[in-house]
Amino acid sequence: MTPRAHVARAPGRVNLIGEHIDYCGLSVFPMALRRSVRIEFNPRADREMRLADRDPGFAPSAFSVSESIPPGPAGDWANYARAAAQALARRFPDLRGIDALVESDLPIAAGLSSSSALLVAIALAIMHANRVTMASLELMELLARGERYVGTAGGGMDQAIILGAQAGCASRIDFQPLRLTPTAVPTGWRFIVAWSLVHAEKSGAAQQAYNERTRQGDEARRLVASRRGLPEDTAYAALLTADSVDELLKVAGASMPQVLSRRFRHVLTEGARVRQAEAAMAAGNLEAFGRLLDASHQSLRDDYEVSHPELDRLVELAREAGAAGARLTGAGFGGSIVALCRVERAPEVISALREKFYAPRGVADDVERHVFVAEPSGGAEVLAPG
Ligand code: NG1
């Protein structure tokens, strides 16, 4: 890579609340992290993409930009680059490729969206190299659809926050139509992210479990809509304007198998918690925000069944150490938790996790790789050569 290379940077994200509801079209409340994927890149004169990673665990990869790029094997990291390149090639004719060198300080498969950050950084690099631009909201939607290339029926939260985050803020993301509304994170609050040491590989079993949840959410919605005499394609948001949460839960309880009605209950109650959490943050009410985190975790564990015993243990330990609340964040099945505490409590929470979670598992020395304070950061950008 020449010293004149540009750099595309895309942050990871931690979702504060609103889990497994973006694909139902309901609002979510994430923030971007300082940890990020950085790509040094130079334009090429042809359509080739030549990718390398500073981490030798990721083999170099090459492919050609086109409207239909054959995927690599399941789990191949370069599939996220293929997804970005294909989505852009369908929007802009005759794109040239890039030479790219990737590095990242984001943990992989930890529920912090390292894969969407890679996809967004590659997309920005290709666009910059080809001097093409797009309205930000349109790009968020294009890349959310584009990421389905890898086989996950994901929602649009990750690409939206990675591109649209504001430093110092969490953002409520509404869908249909897509919109971001920032709220400043109070200066005395700290969100601590802790990894469970369990990889939630979105290309493996977790992908099937994730896609199963999206199907169940959809089926429950259709059953309730038809019970209410509404068209089958009535969205969650429209169901909620027609009836109260309690009424909808009663209908669900009477019209579908128990497992579906529990999934449905998670979606509706989590949707309500997002609005309450946003208001609690705006009011600086840490205790109220913490209670909502706890309620979200319980719902994800019992109704949505996406937790893991190691996540439950981390949540329990964070609360015992004085966090106002904690919950799993991201898709679950492993990955990370997010805990909220006052700034002066943060060292105690972190050292309790070190002693009671990481030390017994033999990784106490590495604790700053696994636990960190999340600093609300700005969105993805391209930096000129230094
Ligand atoms: P992670 O945590 O990156 O696996 C996934 C989806 C989100 C959202 C969350 C659960 C993708 C790219 N991301 O995130 O859209 O549904 O799960 O809230 O599929």
Side-chain angles (χ1 to χ4, degrees), residues 13 15 18-23 111-116 147 152-159 202 210 329-332:
R13 64 97 182 99
N15 187 20
E19 214 62 84
H20 280 283
I21 60 172
D22 60 344
Y23 50 76
L112 304 176
S113 223
S114 59
S115 43
S116 299
E147 190 165 335
T152 308
M157 161 167 65
D158 301 346
Q159 303 78 8
K202 285 280 283 305
Y210 181 93
T329 185

Short mmCIF file of all heavy atoms in Angstrom, two decimals, residues 13 15 18-23 111-116 147 152-159 202 210 329-332, ligand 1:
data_model
loop_
_atom_site.label_atom_id
_atom_site.label_comp_id
_atom_site.label_asym_id
_atom_site.label_seq_id
_atom_site.Cartn_x
_atom_site.Cartn_y
_atom_site.Cartn_z
N ARG A 13 -20.87 -1.02 16.75
CA ARG A 13 -21.96 -0.39 17.50
C ARG A 13 -22.35 -1.25 18.68
O ARG A 13 -22.13 -2.47 18.69
CB ARG A 13 -23.18 -0.12 16.62
CG ARG A 13 -23.86 -1.36 16.05
CD ARG A 13 -25.05 -1.84 16.83
NE ARG A 13 -25.62 -3.06 16.25
CZ ARG A 13 -25.37 -4.25 16.72
NH1 ARG A 13 -24.52 -4.45 17.73
NH2 ARG A 13 -25.94 -5.32 16.18
N ASN A 15 -25.88 -1.90 20.71
CA ASN A 15 -27.30 -1.56 20.76
C ASN A 15 -27.70 -1.44 22.24
O ASN A 15 -27.53 -2.38 23.01
CB ASN A 15 -28.14 -2.64 20.06
CG ASN A 15 -29.59 -2.21 19.95
OD1 ASN A 15 -29.89 -1.01 20.06
ND2 ASN A 15 -30.49 -3.15 19.75
N GLY A 18 -33.79 -2.31 22.28
CA GLY A 18 -34.52 -2.49 21.02
C GLY A 18 -33.87 -3.64 20.27
O GLY A 18 -33.33 -3.49 19.19
N GLU A 19 -33.92 -4.84 20.89
CA GLU A 19 -33.21 -5.98 20.32
C GLU A 19 -34.17 -6.91 19.59
O GLU A 19 -35.26 -7.21 20.09
CB GLU A 19 -32.50 -6.74 21.45
CG GLU A 19 -31.19 -7.34 21.04
CD GLU A 19 -30.16 -6.28 20.62
OE1 GLU A 19 -29.50 -5.72 21.50
OE2 GLU A 19 -30.02 -6.06 19.40
N HIS A 20 -33.74 -7.34 18.40
CA HIS A 20 -34.54 -8.25 17.57
C HIS A 20 -35.88 -7.63 17.22
O HIS A 20 -36.89 -8.33 17.16
CB HIS A 20 -34.76 -9.60 18.29
CG HIS A 20 -33.57 -10.52 18.18
ND1 HIS A 20 -33.28 -11.23 17.04
CD2 HIS A 20 -32.58 -10.80 19.05
CE1 HIS A 20 -32.18 -11.95 17.23
NE2 HIS A 20 -31.72 -11.69 18.44
N ILE A 21 -35.89 -6.33 16.99
CA ILE A 21 -37.16 -5.74 16.53
C ILE A 21 -36.95 -4.86 15.30
O ILE A 21 -37.91 -4.40 14.71
CB ILE A 21 -37.91 -4.95 17.64
CG1 ILE A 21 -37.06 -3.81 18.19
CG2 ILE A 21 -38.34 -5.89 18.77
CD1 ILE A 21 -37.85 -2.90 19.15
N ASP A 22 -35.68 -4.64 14.89
CA ASP A 22 -35.50 -3.80 13.69
C ASP A 22 -36.10 -4.49 12.47
O ASP A 22 -36.73 -3.85 11.63
CB ASP A 22 -34.02 -3.43 13.46
CG ASP A 22 -33.06 -4.60 13.27
OD1 ASP A 22 -33.43 -5.75 13.59
OD2 ASP A 22 -31.93 -4.36 12.78
N TYR A 23 -35.96 -5.83 12.40
CA TYR A 23 -36.53 -6.52 11.24
C TYR A 23 -38.06 -6.60 11.31
O TYR A 23 -38.70 -7.04 10.36
CB TYR A 23 -35.89 -7.90 11.02
CG TYR A 23 -35.83 -8.80 12.24
CD1 TYR A 23 -36.94 -9.46 12.71
CD2 TYR A 23 -34.61 -8.99 12.90
CE1 TYR A 23 -36.87 -10.29 13.82
CE2 TYR A 23 -34.53 -9.81 14.01
CZ TYR A 23 -35.67 -10.46 14.47
OH TYR A 23 -35.60 -11.29 15.56
N GLY A 111 -21.34 -9.55 18.80
CA GLY A 111 -22.58 -8.77 18.89
C GLY A 111 -22.36 -7.27 18.76
O GLY A 111 -23.21 -6.47 19.13
N LEU A 112 -21.18 -6.88 18.23
CA LEU A 112 -20.85 -5.45 18.13
C LEU A 112 -20.76 -5.00 16.68
O LEU A 112 -20.21 -3.95 16.37
CB LEU A 112 -19.54 -5.15 18.88
CG LEU A 112 -19.55 -5.59 20.35
CD1 LEU A 112 -18.18 -5.34 20.99
CD2 LEU A 112 -20.63 -4.85 21.14
N SER A 113 -21.26 -5.84 15.79
CA SER A 113 -21.41 -5.48 14.39
C SER A 113 -20.11 -5.28 13.63
O SER A 113 -20.01 -4.41 12.76
CB SER A 113 -22.23 -4.18 14.32
OG SER A 113 -23.16 -4.30 13.32
N SER A 114 -19.12 -6.11 13.93
CA SER A 114 -17.86 -5.99 13.20
C SER A 114 -18.08 -6.28 11.71
O SER A 114 -17.43 -5.67 10.85
CB SER A 114 -16.82 -6.97 13.76
OG SER A 114 -17.30 -8.28 13.67
N SER A 115 -19.01 -7.16 11.39
CA SER A 115 -19.20 -7.51 9.98
C SER A 115 -19.86 -6.37 9.21
O SER A 115 -19.45 -6.06 8.08
CB SER A 115 -19.97 -8.81 9.84
OG SER A 115 -21.04 -8.85 10.74
N SER A 116 -20.86 -5.73 9.80
CA SER A 116 -21.46 -4.58 9.09
C SER A 116 -20.47 -3.43 8.99
O SER A 116 -20.48 -2.68 8.01
CB SER A 116 -22.72 -4.09 9.81
OG SER A 116 -23.69 -5.11 9.85
N GLU A 147 -26.43 -6.52 2.61
CA GLU A 147 -25.80 -7.47 3.55
C GLU A 147 -26.52 -8.81 3.57
O GLU A 147 -25.95 -9.83 3.98
CB GLU A 147 -25.68 -6.87 4.96
CG GLU A 147 -24.82 -7.73 5.86
CD GLU A 147 -24.33 -7.08 7.14
OE1 GLU A 147 -24.24 -5.84 7.20
OE2 GLU A 147 -24.05 -7.85 8.09
N THR A 152 -28.11 -13.77 5.98
CA THR A 152 -28.84 -13.42 7.19
C THR A 152 -29.97 -12.48 6.81
O THR A 152 -29.74 -11.51 6.10
CB THR A 152 -27.91 -12.70 8.19
OG1 THR A 152 -26.75 -13.51 8.35
CG2 THR A 152 -28.58 -12.51 9.53
N ALA A 153 -31.17 -12.78 7.33
CA ALA A 153 -32.33 -11.94 6.99
C ALA A 153 -32.39 -10.75 7.95
O ALA A 153 -33.37 -10.54 8.66
CB ALA A 153 -33.61 -12.78 7.08
N GLY A 154 -31.30 -9.97 8.01
CA GLY A 154 -31.13 -8.92 9.03
C GLY A 154 -32.03 -7.71 8.84
O GLY A 154 -32.60 -7.49 7.77
N GLY A 155 -32.12 -6.91 9.91
CA GLY A 155 -32.84 -5.64 9.84
C GLY A 155 -31.87 -4.55 9.39
O GLY A 155 -30.79 -4.83 8.90
N GLY A 156 -32.23 -3.29 9.59
CA GLY A 156 -31.41 -2.20 9.06
C GLY A 156 -30.68 -1.39 10.12
O GLY A 156 -30.10 -0.34 9.82
N MET A 157 -30.68 -1.88 11.38
CA MET A 157 -30.09 -1.09 12.46
C MET A 157 -28.60 -0.80 12.25
O MET A 157 -28.15 0.34 12.42
CB MET A 157 -30.27 -1.84 13.79
CG MET A 157 -29.33 -1.37 14.90
SD MET A 157 -29.78 -1.96 16.51
CE MET A 157 -29.54 -3.73 16.36
N ASP A 158 -27.84 -1.84 11.92
CA ASP A 158 -26.38 -1.73 11.99
C ASP A 158 -25.84 -0.75 10.95
O ASP A 158 -25.04 0.14 11.27
CB ASP A 158 -25.74 -3.10 11.81
CG ASP A 158 -26.21 -4.07 12.90
OD1 ASP A 158 -26.78 -3.60 13.88
OD2 ASP A 158 -26.00 -5.28 12.74
N GLN A 159 -26.28 -0.90 9.70
CA GLN A 159 -25.78 -0.02 8.65
C GLN A 159 -26.19 1.43 8.93
O GLN A 159 -25.43 2.36 8.67
CB GLN A 159 -26.31 -0.49 7.29
CG GLN A 159 -25.98 -1.94 6.95
CD GLN A 159 -26.89 -2.96 7.68
OE1 GLN A 159 -27.87 -2.59 8.33
NE2 GLN A 159 -26.55 -4.23 7.54
N LYS A 202 -22.38 -15.61 12.99
CA LYS A 202 -23.60 -15.40 12.21
C LYS A 202 -23.61 -16.21 10.92
O LYS A 202 -24.61 -16.20 10.19
CB LYS A 202 -23.78 -13.92 11.90
CG LYS A 202 -24.25 -13.12 13.09
CD LYS A 202 -25.75 -13.24 13.34
CE LYS A 202 -26.56 -12.40 12.37
NZ LYS A 202 -26.17 -11.03 12.36
N TYR A 210 -31.24 -17.12 14.15
CA TYR A 210 -31.63 -15.72 13.89
C TYR A 210 -32.75 -15.69 12.84
O TYR A 210 -33.78 -15.05 13.04
CB TYR A 210 -30.42 -14.94 13.41
CG TYR A 210 -30.69 -13.48 13.12
CD1 TYR A 210 -30.49 -12.50 14.09
CD2 TYR A 210 -31.16 -13.07 11.87
CE1 TYR A 210 -30.75 -11.17 13.82
CE2 TYR A 210 -31.42 -11.74 11.60
CZ TYR A 210 -31.21 -10.80 12.57
OH TYR A 210 -31.47 -9.47 12.30
N THR A 329 -26.58 -7.81 24.32
CA THR A 329 -26.71 -6.84 23.24
C THR A 329 -26.36 -7.51 21.91
O THR A 329 -25.54 -8.42 21.88
CB THR A 329 -25.82 -5.60 23.49
OG1 THR A 329 -26.07 -4.65 22.46
CG2 THR A 329 -24.34 -5.93 23.53
N GLY A 330 -27.02 -7.07 20.84
CA GLY A 330 -26.82 -7.71 19.55
C GLY A 330 -27.73 -8.92 19.44
O GLY A 330 -28.68 -9.09 20.22
N ALA A 331 -27.40 -9.80 18.52
CA ALA A 331 -28.30 -10.91 18.23
C ALA A 331 -28.38 -11.95 19.35
O ALA A 331 -29.34 -12.69 19.45
CB ALA A 331 -27.89 -11.58 16.93
N GLY A 332 -27.34 -12.03 20.21
CA GLY A 332 -27.37 -13.03 21.29
C GLY A 332 -26.76 -14.34 20.86
O GLY A 332 -25.88 -14.37 19.99
P1 NG1 B 1 -25.56 -8.54 15.23
O1 NG1 B 1 -25.49 -8.24 16.65
O2 NG1 B 1 -24.54 -7.77 14.43
O3 NG1 B 1 -25.59 -9.98 14.91
C1 NG1 B 1 -28.09 -8.58 14.23
C2 NG1 B 1 -28.67 -7.84 13.03
C3 NG1 B 1 -29.42 -6.56 13.44
C4 NG1 B 1 -30.41 -6.84 14.56
C5 NG1 B 1 -29.69 -7.58 15.71
C6 NG1 B 1 -30.64 -7.99 16.83
C7 NG1 B 1 -27.45 -7.97 10.90
C8 NG1 B 1 -26.40 -7.35 10.05
N1 NG1 B 1 -27.62 -7.42 12.11
O4 NG1 B 1 -26.98 -7.88 14.72
O5 NG1 B 1 -30.07 -6.02 12.29
O6 NG1 B 1 -31.53 -7.56 14.11
O7 NG1 B 1 -29.06 -8.77 15.24
O8 NG1 B 1 -31.28 -6.87 17.37
O9 NG1 B 1 -28.10 -8.92 10.50
#
